[in-house]
Amino acid sequence: MNNKIYLKVNTDLTASSQVLSWFEQMNQPPIPDQQIWWQCQTLLIEGFTNIVEHAHKNLPIETPIEIEAVRLDEYIEIRIRSQGQPFDLEQKLRQTSEFENNDRERGRGLKIMSTIADKLSYEPTADNRYCLFIIKYY
C-alpha cells in the first residue's frame, strides 16, 4: 500500500476540521487498531496547531501551511511544512516537564506528540522552510 495525499491551508485554527476531514482518507482501509488511528489524528492536529500558534504566530493568516500524508504498509508519515522561525524541537522537549509536573496549559502538546509518535523531528528544508516530520507505526 502506498497512498499519498496533500493539502494546503491558511494559518488559521478554524481550518482544523478541514485538516481532519482531509486526513480521513488515510484510514481506508481502516487501520485495525482504532487507538493507533486516534493517535495519528492527534499527532496531525497537535502538529498543525503548533505551527499556527507558534511557528506562524507573527505571520499573516494567508501564510500557507502545506500538509502531506503517506500511508505505507506498516506506518503513516505526516509532513507539515511551515515558514516560521528556527526551533530546536529536541531542546524544547528537554525543557518541558513531564505531564504529571506540568500544570500549565501550554507546552504539553509537544510532549504528547513525542510520546505517541514513533519518530518526530522539525528540520529546515532546502526551500528555506521547516518540516515537522512524524512517523506512526500501525
Side-chain angles (χ1 to χ4, degrees):
M1 171 182 295
N2 188 344
N3 183 17
K4 184 176 187 176
I5 58 175
Y6 173 84
L7 179 69
K8 183 189 274 188
V9 293
N10 285 340
T11 297
D12 185 354
L13 282 180
T14 63
S16 296
S17 59
Q18 176 188 358
V19 169
L20 283 172
S21 294
W22 162 83
F23 190 60
E24 279 298 320
Q25 303 169 67
M26 283 286 103
N27 201 25
Q28 297 304 321
I31 292 172
D33 186 340
Q34 184 67 38
Q35 183 175 347
I36 296 290
W37 178 241
W38 291 332
Q39 290 175 343
C40 289
Q41 292 173 307
T42 299
L43 288 163
L44 172 66
I45 212 61
E46 282 291 337
F48 174 74
T49 300
N50 274 324
I51 298 299
V52 171
E53 292 184 343
H54 301 289
H56 285 194
K57 179 171 58 175
N58 298 316
L59 298 175
I61 195 169
E62 298 81 22
T63 306
I65 297 173
E66 296 177 26
I67 308 169
E68 178 184 299
V70 181
R71 181 171 172 182
L72 300 159
D73 289 335
E74 297 178 359
Y75 58 92
I76 290 179
E77 294 180 351
I78 300 170
R79 289 176 177 82
I80 306 175
R81 292 183 179 86
S82 64
Q83 300 178 27
Q85 296 297 309
F87 173 73
D88 186 337
L89 176 63
E90 293 301 319
Q91 179 182 359
K92 186 67 173 175
L93 287 170
R94 286 191 300 274
Q95 291 173 345
T96 303
S97 60
E98 296 302 321
F99 302 120
E100 299 82 28
N101 303 326
N102 188 346
D103 296 330
R104 299 181 2 234
E105 290 291 316
R106 314 306 305 160
R108 290 185 291 201
L110 288 177
K111 258 322 182 201
I112 291 168
M113 291 176 70
S114 71
T115 299
I116 63 177
D118 293 302
K119 177 174 174 46
L120 180 66
S121 65
Y122 187 70
E123 304 290 337
T125 61
D127 58 358
N128 295 318
R129 295 186 297 167
Y130 286 86
C131 180
L132 179 63
F133 179 63
I134 304 161
I135 289 181
K136 181 66 185 173
Y137 285 89
Y138 60 90

